[in-house]
Amino acid sequence: MTLRVLLADDQALLRATFRILIDSCDDMEVVAEATDGDEALELARTHLPDLALVDIGMPSTDGQDATALICAAPELAATRVLILTTSETGEHVAQALRAGASGFLGKDVGVEELLDAIRTVAAGDSLLSPTATRALVTRFLTTPEAGDHLAPPESLAALTDREREVMTLVAEGKSDAEIAELLSENPQTVRTHVQRAMAGLDARDRAQLVVIAYQSGLVRPAPPLC
């Protein structure tokens, strides 16, 4: 199945470069290009892409607002958002994750890393850049603004002990294969636990599951290294 990708970036050269790279792959294609967030939402509704690759720093309606609009649209429930940014530690990235983005990458990303990221996020997994994830979680996701919790802490009671255990490991950045090895489970069983946890907490994807794990106190940020 061919992955349908929407590009949203105000820089024409970058859009052209990304289009060439994506269209060169047999398993994905660019279906539309937007220059700002408003156009991204309009084109997403028209083309229903599997994934929107969104620059966080666009003019007018920026990538953060575009992410919130795309993720809030019922007809775009199957569309995943992957953020591109030149600053991977800013609060705007945390807000984009809260709004429903499935991950983010720096604009200096390599070709194969970019293509792998598109496949990973389109498949329903989260992708958080290793250069910023820990700082992002520690600084922003554990201190939400009033009314900004994705799920109340008491909602965790609806999960089984195993689902909470798997959720904790997901929040620590472990893959399904790593979790399966730690728990002596089959990777598919682990994925089932993850999906049930997402359904029980109304999380859009694994990225929001990570946010909820930290916001609820299920997982505590590691203390800073001296």
Side-chain angles (χ1 to χ4, degrees):
M1 184 175 65
T2 301
L3 297 176
R4 296 161 47 78
V5 180
L6 165 67
L7 300 178
D9 196 304
D10 60 311
Q11 299 183 46
L13 181 58
L14 275 179
R15 291 199 314 274
T17 300
F18 290 147
R19 175 181 279 276
I20 291 171
L21 294 174
I22 292 169
D23 285 347
S24 69
C25 299
D26 294 336
D27 62 338
M28 63 181 77
E29 65 174 341
V30 174
V31 295
E33 297 182 27
T35 59
D36 62 29
D38 290 329
E39 189 178 15
L41 177 61
E42 180 181 350
L43 291 174
R45 283 174 165 159
T46 299
H47 295 277
L48 303 179
D50 300 300
L51 180 136
L53 188 62
V54 177
D55 173 26
I56 198 73
M58 294 182 293
S60 183
T61 302
D62 63 16
Q64 175 187 315
D65 291 336
T67 297
L69 292 170
I70 291 172
C71 293
E75 68 271 30
L76 298 176
T79 297
R80 298 288 176 256
V81 176
L82 177 59
I83 295 289
L84 281 172
T85 177
T86 56
S87 174
E88 299 181 67
T89 58
E91 185 174 6
H92 57 283
V93 175
Q95 291 171 344
L97 288 174
R98 292 184 189 126
S102 294
F104 63 94
L105 288 173
K107 279 195 170 181
D108 58 350
V109 66
V111 172
E112 290 305 318
E113 188 177 357
L114 171 66
L115 298 175
D116 286 345
I118 291 173
R119 296 184 181 101
T120 296
V121 171
D125 292 328
S126 62
L127 187 139
L128 306 179
S129 170
T131 63
T133 301
R134 183 59 60 186
L136 179 70
V137 166
T138 302
R139 185 176 178 188
F140 297 116
L141 300 188
T142 56
T143 55
E145 299 174 0
D148 196 30
H149 276 90
L150 293 181
E154 57 269 22
S155 63
L156 294 178
L159 305 184
T160 66
D161 290 342
R162 181 61 104 188
E163 286 164 1
R164 286 192 293 272
E165 185 176 17
V166 169
M167 182 176 170
T168 298
L169 294 171
V170 168
E172 292 174 355
K174 291 181 172 56
S175 67
D176 288 349
E178 291 170 331
I179 296 172
E181 184 175 356
L182 284 170
L183 301 182
S184 300
E185 295 264 20
N186 184 287
Q188 183 56 48
T189 302
V190 170
R191 181 173 287 273
T192 298
H193 289 313
V194 172
Q195 291 170 341
R196 287 176 177 170
M198 289 191 297
L201 298 171
D202 198 26
R204 181 180 174 90
D205 56 20
R206 291 171 74 111
Q208 287 202 338
L209 198 64
V210 171
V211 175
I212 293 170
Y214 280 92
Q215 287 185 345
S216 66
L218 180 66
V219 179
R220 301 288 182 182
L225 297 176
C226 299

